Amino acid sequence: MADTILELKGVKVNRGTRLALDVPHLAVRRGETLAVVGPNGAGKSTLLQVMACLLRPSSGEVLVFGEAVRRTTSLVRLRRRMAMVLQRSYLLDGTVLDNVAVGLRMRGVRRDEARRRVERALCTFGIEHLSARPARTLSGGESQRVSLARAFVLEPEVLFLDEPTSSLDVPTRTGLLAELGEVVQRTGVATVFVTHDVIEIPFLAERTLVMLGGRVTADGPVREVLGADMRRALRDLAGSARWILSQGW
């Protein structure tokens, strides 16, 4: 398909004698938001690593931007069109501004262009007032905002999120998910969002993929994949989220 940006065909990942991932076919379209949900050990992070070209599958084919990833493929070239945010922020020594700008410096972006993009990313996540702050002195929520700004400043075509809010308290987590959902929708970046918590899905995803034992057990729109009881719980959560945000959290 012309608008397919990521595709897996017959992909398997073996870890010793255990089959950690078995995906006959999976495609992600340009601009699509996909939530990958499942319990710990379901294969979610393994799938993400394969899609992000960080892990070579034991068998099968991975296509990124329409190009089959082979042993001779320049992975750096492909990864420069992607960005990833992990559960932990892994900030570097230096200021918030330094951390957000580091990827642009590595890519040789002109100083004036880098400054413009960094300032825009800081404003997007409401941390422009922290630009001169040492990054390692930030709170958990502030640190994840820096990580997100560092990813979005690269203007990626694909964004991978590996449980980026799971370590945060509920008000911080809810507020950040709501803001992140708005940014993803506004920018139109294709997003693969891994979580073990289904209550996070409605903030970011249009499509939900359920994994269990390294296999995809369900794939489709949220309302089709999740049952009626779960949908009611998610609507209640969305109402609670709006209330929390209205209180200035």
Side-chain angles (χ1 to χ4, degrees):
M1 292 172 22
D3 63 345
T4 297
I5 200 167
L6 294 170
E7 189 170 13
L8 275 58
K9 298 180 178 180
V11 165
K12 295 185 179 183
V13 174
N14 297 310
R15 298 193 185 279
T17 59
R18 182 174 68 90
L19 184 61
L21 189 68
D22 183 3
V23 179
H25 184 260
L26 176 64
V28 178
R29 297 187 303 275
R30 193 172 299 276
E32 185 174 30
T33 55
L34 171 66
V36 182
V37 65
N40 292 334
K44 304 183 302 296
S45 292
T46 300
L47 174 65
L48 197 73
Q49 291 170 27
V50 170
M51 297 174 79
C53 300
L54 297 173
L55 175 66
R56 190 182 299 277
S58 305
S59 60
E61 187 175 39
V62 178
L63 294 93
V64 182
F65 311 115
E67 177 181 350
V69 180
R70 310 197 185 282
R71 293 189 179 277
T72 56
T73 301
S74 171
L75 297 182
V76 172
R77 174 174 53 80
L78 295 180
R79 289 174 189 151
R80 287 194 169 194
R81 300 170 68 180
M82 309 173 178
M84 179 178 284
V85 179
L86 304 174
Q87 181 177 347
R88 292 186 58 188
S89 53
Y90 296 105
L91 299 183
L92 307 173
D93 289 330
T95 66
V96 166
L97 189 147
D98 292 334
N99 272 265
V100 176
V102 64
L104 298 178
R105 287 201 298 267
M106 293 175 65
R107 297 179 186 199
V109 176
R110 294 194 323 272
R111 186 182 296 273
D112 58 339
E113 171 69 8
R115 170 68 69 168
R116 182 185 64 81
R117 287 167 61 174
V118 167
E119 289 177 352
R120 184 174 61 191
L122 292 172
C123 290
T124 295
F125 290 98
I127 52 174
E128 63 274 17
H129 62 292
L130 300 175
S131 62
R133 179 88 63 85
R136 292 185 182 273
T137 67
L138 301 179
S139 68
E142 291 168 341
S143 296
Q144 283 302 73
R145 289 177 184 275
V146 174
S147 294
L148 289 166
R150 185 168 59 187
F152 275 93
V153 80
L154 301 176
E155 299 176 353
E157 296 174 60
V158 184
L159 174 67
F160 298 102
L161 303 171
D162 194 355
E163 305 199 49
T165 64
S166 62
S167 63
L168 305 179
D169 60 76
V170 172
T172 302
R173 175 186 181 192
T174 303
L176 185 53
L177 281 169
E179 291 180 41
L180 178 56
E182 292 176 0
V183 176
V184 167
Q185 185 175 28
R186 185 172 70 249
T187 59
V189 60
T191 303
V192 181
F193 172 52
V194 165
T195 180
H196 67 276
D197 191 344
V198 294
I199 67 173
E200 296 186 342
I201 293 174
F203 289 99
L204 289 175
E206 303 163 345
R207 172 184 168 198
T208 301
L209 185 149
V210 181
M211 295 197 69
L212 188 63
R215 292 178 169 85
V216 176
T217 59
D219 181 2
V222 175
R223 67 172 51 253
E224 293 181 10
V225 170
L226 303 178
D229 290 341
M230 180 58 68
R231 291 201 301 273
R232 281 194 292 271
L234 293 176
R235 283 196 295 271
D236 292 342
L237 174 74
S240 299
R242 285 192 292 271
W243 182 86
I244 290 171
L245 293 174
S246 72
Q247 303 307 303
W249 288 95

